[in-house]
């Protein structure tokens, strides 16, 4: 019996995934899994299912004890269960990561390869936190997100949840930031990532430090036109009550990314504060036509009614 050309099939599978031809990718991947007992091949078949939104197929494919030998398979199964709103099942899979000891994965960097990927244990801690959020236990979620960052600072989603959901006080944010091991986890990029992370901290009370970080990103790294950096500048201007300057910056962002979920509330708030009712009306109408299901659209319409002092209609859109 001739041996199957697994290396060739894997190469075709990879090319199909990269070109978003998921039917072709599935065609090759399921044949590979028939020949191979390697969990890496099973993971890639599950990955193809995930990209296609077939979460139930992943649940059936990976629901066996063998997958615990592959943390990537555990991660993908837990992520799929969350997509299926099966938070209890996902947490059961991830429960040990609520109290995971970051020291178990600590190691001294030995070369560039050490920094290439986010540690999978960090992602599992993050997903455990997502489960707690979905189950309305924010304190335990916060602890999981902090743990994820202690395992690997590159897990930005954990950092973003902590900052964007205001899960920490300003002092707690600063304490966490100071405790993160950027050099261990980011190597040559540690100063760059640390500067980026600093711009995400609460701005009140540390505006000078944030402005210095912005200057470093603009001057040393040439990120003047990067939307994240422009957004940070807009946030600083808003907190300093310089609403005209802030509005110029948010317009710059929205011109390039018209549904930027962080910039839109600031932009709409500036229009309200500056009493630009006509602009508010036109903008809320534009959002309603293009993005009727987005929360920012409802916010824009609600703010427009508020500007008109139509409080009843405004409250209906803020619910």
């Amino acid at each position: 019996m001739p041996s199957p050309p697994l290396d060739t099939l894997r190469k075709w599978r990879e090319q199909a995934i990269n070109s978003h031809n998921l039917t072709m990718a599935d065609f090759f991947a399921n044949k590979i899994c028939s020949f191979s007992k390697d969990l890496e091949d099973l993971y890639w078949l599950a990955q193809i299912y995930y990209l296609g939104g077939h979460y139930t197929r992943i649940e059936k494919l990976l629901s066996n004890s063998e997958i615990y030998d592959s943390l990537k398979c555990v991660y993908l199964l837990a992520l799929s269960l969350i997509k299926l709103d099966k938070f209890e099942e996902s947490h059961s899979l991830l429960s040990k990561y609520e109290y995971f000891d970051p020291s178990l994965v600590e190691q001294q960097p030995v070369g560039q390869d050490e920094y290439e990927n986010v540690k999978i244990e960090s992602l599992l801690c993050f997903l455990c936190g997502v489960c707690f959020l979905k189950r309305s236990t924010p304190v335990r979620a916060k602890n999981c997100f902090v743990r994820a960052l202690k395992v690997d600072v590159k897990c930005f989603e954990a950092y973003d949840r902590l900052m964007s959901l205001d899960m920490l006080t300003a002092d707690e944010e600063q304490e966490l930031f100071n405790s993160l091991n950027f050099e261990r986890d980011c190597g040559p990029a540690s100063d760059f990532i640390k500067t980026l992370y600093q711009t995400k901290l609460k701005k009140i009370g540390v505006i000078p430090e944030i402005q210095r970080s912005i200057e470093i990103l603009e001057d040393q790294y040439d990120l003047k036109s990067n939307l994240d950096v422009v957004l940070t500048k807009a946030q600083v201007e808003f907190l300093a009550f310089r609403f005209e300057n802030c509005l110029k910056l948010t317009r710059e962002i929205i011109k390039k990314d018209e549904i930027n979920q962080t910039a839109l509330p600031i932009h709409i708030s500036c229009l309200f504060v500056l009493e630009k009712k006509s602009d508010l009306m036109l903008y809320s109408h534009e959002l309603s036509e293009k993005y009727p299901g987005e929360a920012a659209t409802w916010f824009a319409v609600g703010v427009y009614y508020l500007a008109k002092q139509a409080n009843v209609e405004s409250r209906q859109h803020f619910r």
Side-chain angles (χ1 to χ4, degrees):
M1 181 182 296
S3 59
L6 286 178
D7 288 343
T8 301
L9 292 175
R10 287 175 180 136
K11 191 175 297 183
W12 291 343
R13 178 191 64 194
E14 181 182 354
Q15 290 173 342
I17 293 172
N18 291 338
S19 60
H20 305 286
N21 290 312
L22 298 184
T23 302
M24 185 196 306
D26 186 359
F27 175 77
F28 293 127
N30 68 63
K31 308 303 183 295
I32 293 169
C33 286
S34 294
F35 292 125
S36 169
K37 300 302 180 184
D38 192 336
L39 285 174
E40 185 74 7
D41 291 320
L42 191 69
Y43 167 78
W44 279 109
L45 179 58
Q47 182 78 284
I48 292 161
Y49 290 165
Y50 188 86
L51 293 172
H54 304 302
Y55 310 120
T56 302
R57 296 178 76 184
I58 296 173
E59 183 181 13
K60 292 181 178 178
L61 180 69
L62 297 182
S63 291
N64 61 72
S65 58
E66 291 180 2
I67 69 144
Y68 289 99
D69 293 330
S70 168
L71 291 183
K72 290 200 297 185
C73 287
V74 173
Y75 173 78
L76 200 52
L77 176 57
L79 191 60
S80 300
L81 290 170
I82 290 172
K83 290 289 186 181
L84 293 168
D85 293 337
K86 295 184 177 183
F87 308 123
E88 291 286 348
E89 292 92 330
S90 184
H91 177 255
S92 177
L93 194 65
L94 298 165
S95 58
K96 72 174 183 179
Y97 291 96
E98 181 181 0
Y99 303 105
F100 185 77
D101 183 359
S103 67
L104 294 175
V105 295
E106 284 184 0
Q107 55 183 317
Q108 292 298 319
V110 295
Q112 184 65 36
D113 290 347
E114 295 294 333
Y115 317 116
E116 284 188 354
N117 300 310
V118 178
K119 295 183 181 74
I120 190 66
E121 294 88 353
S122 176
L123 298 176
L124 291 165
C125 291
F126 167 72
L127 278 192
C128 189
V130 172
C131 290
F132 283 127
L133 268 188
K134 296 291 187 180
R135 297 164 63 198
S136 301
T137 49
V139 174
R140 295 173 77 178
K142 175 189 71 175
N143 293 336
C144 287
F145 295 150
V146 169
R147 200 173 299 274
L149 290 163
K150 297 284 189 177
V151 174
D152 193 335
V153 73
K154 295 190 295 296
C155 187
F156 177 73
E157 254 191 299
Y159 191 75
D160 184 58
R161 294 292 177 101
L162 290 168
M163 302 301 141
S164 63
L165 298 179
D166 289 320
M167 302 184 81
L168 302 171
T169 65
D171 288 342
E172 287 172 336
E173 284 187 3
Q174 194 63 55
E175 183 181 351
L176 172 64
F177 178 77
N178 292 337
S179 72
L180 296 178
N181 198 331
F182 291 93
E183 186 173 350
R184 181 199 67 194
D185 295 335
C186 304
S190 59
D191 288 342
F192 176 59
I193 300 301
K194 187 173 184 178
T195 305
L196 286 172
Y197 273 38
Q198 187 167 36
T199 65
K200 301 296 180 183
L201 297 172
K202 284 185 173 66
K203 310 298 185 294
I204 296 176
V206 293
I207 286 180
E209 290 86 345
I210 300 295
Q211 287 176 324
R212 280 196 293 274
S213 294
I214 292 171
E215 289 172 5
I216 291 171
L217 292 171
E218 289 185 331
D219 299 338
Q220 295 185 21
Y221 297 104
D222 196 24
L223 288 177
K224 289 184 176 68
S225 60
N226 180 268
L227 296 189
D228 260 1
V229 175
V230 177
L231 176 59
T232 301
K233 291 170 67 176
Q235 291 169 332
V236 169
E237 294 298 307
F238 189 86
L239 289 172
F241 305 106
R242 294 189 288 264
F243 300 114
E244 288 285 1
N245 291 344
C246 181
L247 189 60
K248 290 177 184 177
L249 293 167
T250 55
R251 279 180 170 149
E252 181 183 337
I253 295 168
I254 290 167
K255 186 177 180 181
K256 298 177 181 178
D257 180 10
E258 60 183 18
I259 198 63
N260 187 301
Q261 296 291 339
T262 310
L264 280 176
I266 302 173
H267 181 73
I268 293 162
S269 298
C270 284
L271 293 175
F272 175 78
V273 171
L274 296 170
E275 299 183 350
K276 295 181 179 292
K277 294 181 184 178
S278 296
D279 289 347
L280 258 178
M281 186 270 291
L282 291 171
Y283 191 56
S284 60
H285 182 71
E286 179 184 343
L287 287 174
S288 297
E289 285 191 335
K290 290 184 176 180
Y291 309 103
E294 293 288 340
T297 299
W298 288 78
F299 179 68
V301 176
V303 170
Y304 169 64
Y305 280 122
L306 185 63
K308 288 179 59 180
Q309 297 184 339
N311 295 336
V312 174
E313 292 86 347
S314 179
R315 279 197 296 270
Q316 289 174 345
H317 287 83
F318 285 149
R319 286 176 182 169

